[in-house]
Amino acid sequence: MEVPLAGQQGPQDLPCLSVSTCSSSSPVSSAKPGRVVGRFSTGSGSAQLQFPDCGEDGSGPFDIRSSQLFKLGPVESLCVSEDSNHKRTDEKPYSRAITIRFRTEDESNAFQQAFEYWKKEVTGAGTGTKLENGSVLVSKSKFDDKIEASSAKMYFHYYGQLLHQQNMLQDYVRTGTYYAAVIENRLDFHDRVVVDVGAGSGILSLFAAQAGARHVYAVEASEMAEHARRLIAGNPLLAQKITIVKGKVEEVELPEKADILISEPMGTLLVNERMLESYVIARDRFLVPNGKMFPTIGRIHLAPFSDEFLYVEIANKALFWQQQNYYGVDLTPLHGSAFQGYFSQPVVDAFDPRLLVAPAITHTLDFKTLKEEELYEFDIPLSFKAAVGTRVHGLACWFDVLFDGSSVQRWLSTAPGAPTTHWYQLRCVLSQPLYVMAGQEITGRLHMVAHHAQSYTMYLTLSAKMWGAGAEQGGIIQSSMGKLDLKEPYYRMSQPQPYTWAQDQQPHQLINSQEIALQSQDGIQQGHGLGTQLN
Ligand SMILES: C[S@@+](CC[C@H](N)C(=O)[O-])C[C@H]1O[C@@H](n2cnc3c(N)ncnc32)[C@H](O)[C@@H]1O
């Protein structure tokens, strides 16, 4: 049903079936039972919603700027409003609520759209403040301040499509681990208020409801919120416990605080997409002090690797630009840039852990205490001891997250060698490899700087110290640097995987010999991580 959008000043009437206050289940008095009109208008300098057919007993007027409309079901909504007489700070600020019933789902959707229109366009809420002279002072949300509008548009468009939600749902390592973490820790959910941060299809909200949550607020900014609404309505035993709230966690208001947050905010290398920042903002906005977070901590693991085949593959991509007679044109002036360009792409694929040259180091992010700003720019100092003598081609990275439940602690791991997830692993390949001897120290730094396109620029330095005769004179003999864009990964999953491993082969044996055999690895599904693909 199309909503006839109101002009800035003209009132807009929309039909409802009945209105009841939340303190009583009986409808508030109406002139003609079964014929109630919800009127959106501007009055006393602000946008209001009222029900002129009803009496004064709690049905309005509502100041739309400080009100929220939640869909309780296909033909039922809840309108909660901040009480303007509210003085005490120790009470929940929303103290007035009505339930609105509609004859049809179309009427309900039209009302919802009108509410959102009046909130955004007429009051300027969410995008700015309406000044007395009628102009709007734009004060964007924390999300809009950090993220380019074009990036956000593409991002939420991507997640608004079922096929991409399906890709995540079909990662059974991921979804199965979430399910186990929730159901095995049902004590943490039973009779608790839950907020699902970035609910997508609503799957985690449904898990939380299965675990006995008292109520779940499923916050989702993309159009997927509409699909989630339908999915949840189609599971009626759980639906009554779940409210979909369409909007960004940085902007929406909820009627109560959460005892526990659940979310899947992890991107490639954990931090891609910058959704961890939204998770932390949701914690500060919605979680009770000492409330639980699922996941609770995240860890990035990093180790040097040796992969001659991968290195040659990347270096060879730029060979095209070495042609001196491409239809009579010399392409070589661009060879250097193309070469650097290919090495600026982190490689996403599943690799054999025996390519690692040293035990991994770990960088931990504690979601319960992490500050949002700490994710804008951070440094991971690197220090390894090579287990073998080999060429080091770069840094391999993966992550895991912990669900620190009261009953069971569960890890979701994306490590090489562990069951493959849609995140795979990530490798930063250096254009200048280092040669190391067994036992040699490799040091360096990974400096991560967030950018406005919901990702990071990665600055990697690796150095190998002097080794053997004359080493006591000190000094670093080799150093290699790379600048990579986490938003522009090279998805290599569909490429032939180069290594075959004999059953009895020990780690690093092949690294020493650098024997390379071709093996096609069909059937690996393309993953996603922000860039051309997400998460
Ligand atoms: C990785 S998906 C996870 C979806 C779902 N929770 C699941 O586990 O299948 C992240 C979801 O969060 C949503 N999202 C990302 N940032 C958000 C924000 N700031 N506010 C609300 N939703 C957000 C995206 O649109 C996307 O649907």
Side-chain angles (χ1 to χ4, degrees), residues 244-260:
I244 300 281
V245 183
K246 187 174 176 197
K248 299 192 188 93
V249 291
E250 290 82 353
E251 294 167 10
V252 299
E253 300 294 342
L254 299 180
E256 56 189 327
K257 290 277 186 189
D259 302 300
I260 177 164

Side-chain angles (χ1 to χ4, degrees), residues 225-294:
E226 300 305 327
H227 290 295
R229 201 164 266 154
R230 299 217 322 272
L231 182 69
I232 285 163
N235 288 267
L237 290 181
L238 304 169
Q240 47 195 313
K241 292 178 169 184
I242 304 174
T243 302
I244 300 281
V245 183
K246 187 174 176 197
K248 299 192 188 93
V249 291
E250 290 82 353
E251 294 167 10
V252 299
E253 300 294 342
L254 299 180
E256 56 189 327
K257 290 277 186 189
D259 302 300
I260 177 164
L261 296 188
I262 189 161
S263 185
E264 196 273 75
M266 297 91 75
T268 312
L269 191 59
L270 187 61
V271 293
N272 194 28
E273 300 178 39
R274 300 187 63 182
M275 194 183 157
L276 281 181
E277 292 164 44
S278 301
Y279 189 36
V280 164
I281 290 172
R283 176 199 67 197
D284 295 342
R285 298 195 66 210
F286 306 131
L287 193 63
V288 296
N290 296 319
K292 284 206 163 285
M293 293 177 79
F294 267 39

Side-chain angles (χ1 to χ4, degrees), residues 16 18-24 26-31 36-39 48-63 67 79 81 96-100 111:
C16 322
S18 66
V19 175
S20 48
T21 59
C22 282
S23 49
S24 79
S26 50
V28 290
S29 53
S30 121
V36 180
V37 157
R39 176 164 298 162
Q48 291 182 340
L49 167 63
Q50 55 194 320
F51 299 87
D53 304 317
C54 303
E56 287 301 301
D57 37 356
S59 60
F62 289 89
D63 181 343
S67 302
C79 181
S81 181
R96 215 152 57 94
I98 52 164
T99 305
I100 311 163
F111 196 92

Side-chain angles (χ1 to χ4, degrees), residues 151-305:
S151 171
K153 193 173 171 196
M154 266 182 60
Y155 179 77
F156 289 120
H157 175 74
Y158 176 96
Y159 277 124
Q161 297 171 60
L162 274 175
L163 78 145
H164 298 304
Q165 298 288 338
Q166 180 180 338
N167 187 34
M168 292 182 287
L169 297 175
Q170 283 183 320
D171 176 345
Y172 293 102
V173 176
R174 178 201 91 113
T175 312
T177 306
Y178 268 88
Y179 181 74
V182 172
I183 299 300
E184 289 168 354
N185 289 297
R186 54 174 72 240
L187 271 182
D188 293 324
F189 289 85
H190 185 74
D191 205 25
R192 299 292 156 85
V193 175
V194 182
V195 172
D196 181 354
V197 179
S201 62
I203 192 71
L204 303 182
S205 299
L206 288 157
F207 291 172
Q210 284 178 21
R214 173 150 40 99
H215 203 84
V216 187
Y217 296 94
V219 185
E220 172 58 41
S222 78
E223 291 305 312
M224 189 49 52
E226 300 305 327
H227 290 295
R229 201 164 266 154
R230 299 217 322 272
L231 182 69
I232 285 163
N235 288 267
L237 290 181
L238 304 169
Q240 47 195 313
K241 292 178 169 184
I242 304 174
T243 302
I244 300 281
V245 183
K246 187 174 176 197
K248 299 192 188 93
V249 291
E250 290 82 353
E251 294 167 10
V252 299
E253 300 294 342
L254 299 180
E256 56 189 327
K257 290 277 186 189
D259 302 300
I260 177 164
L261 296 188
I262 189 161
S263 185
E264 196 273 75
M266 297 91 75
T268 312
L269 191 59
L270 187 61
V271 293
N272 194 28
E273 300 178 39
R274 300 187 63 182
M275 194 183 157
L276 281 181
E277 292 164 44
S278 301
Y279 189 36
V280 164
I281 290 172
R283 176 199 67 197
D284 295 342
R285 298 195 66 210
F286 306 131
L287 193 63
V288 296
N290 296 319
K292 284 206 163 285
M293 293 177 79
F294 267 39
T296 323
I297 66 165
R299 301 187 306 183
I300 300 173
H301 303 272
L302 313 101
F305 71 92

Side-chain angles (χ1 to χ4, degrees), residues 23 53 110 137-138 224 266 293 300 318 370 372 392 449 455 461 479 490 513:
S23 49
D53 304 317
L137 179 71
V138 177
M224 189 49 52
M266 297 91 75
M293 293 177 79
I300 300 173
L370 184 69
E372 183 214 347
V392 170
V449 182
S455 192
T461 313
S479 201
Y490 163 36
S513 60

Side-chain angles (χ1 to χ4, degrees), residues 138-158:
V138 177
S139 75
K140 295 187 293 181
S141 79
K142 221 166 187 181
F143 184 96
D144 296 338
D145 284 343
K146 294 185 304 195
I147 306 300
E148 269 166 19
S150 57
S151 171
K153 193 173 171 196
M154 266 182 60
Y155 179 77
F156 289 120
H157 175 74
Y158 176 96

Side-chain angles (χ1 to χ4, degrees), residues 442-459:
I442 304 165
T443 55
R445 154 183 205 232
L446 179 64
H447 187 63
M448 303 282 297
V449 182
H451 59 60
H452 299 302
Q454 288 167 286
S455 192
Y456 282 83
T457 307
M458 308 168 72
Y459 298 90

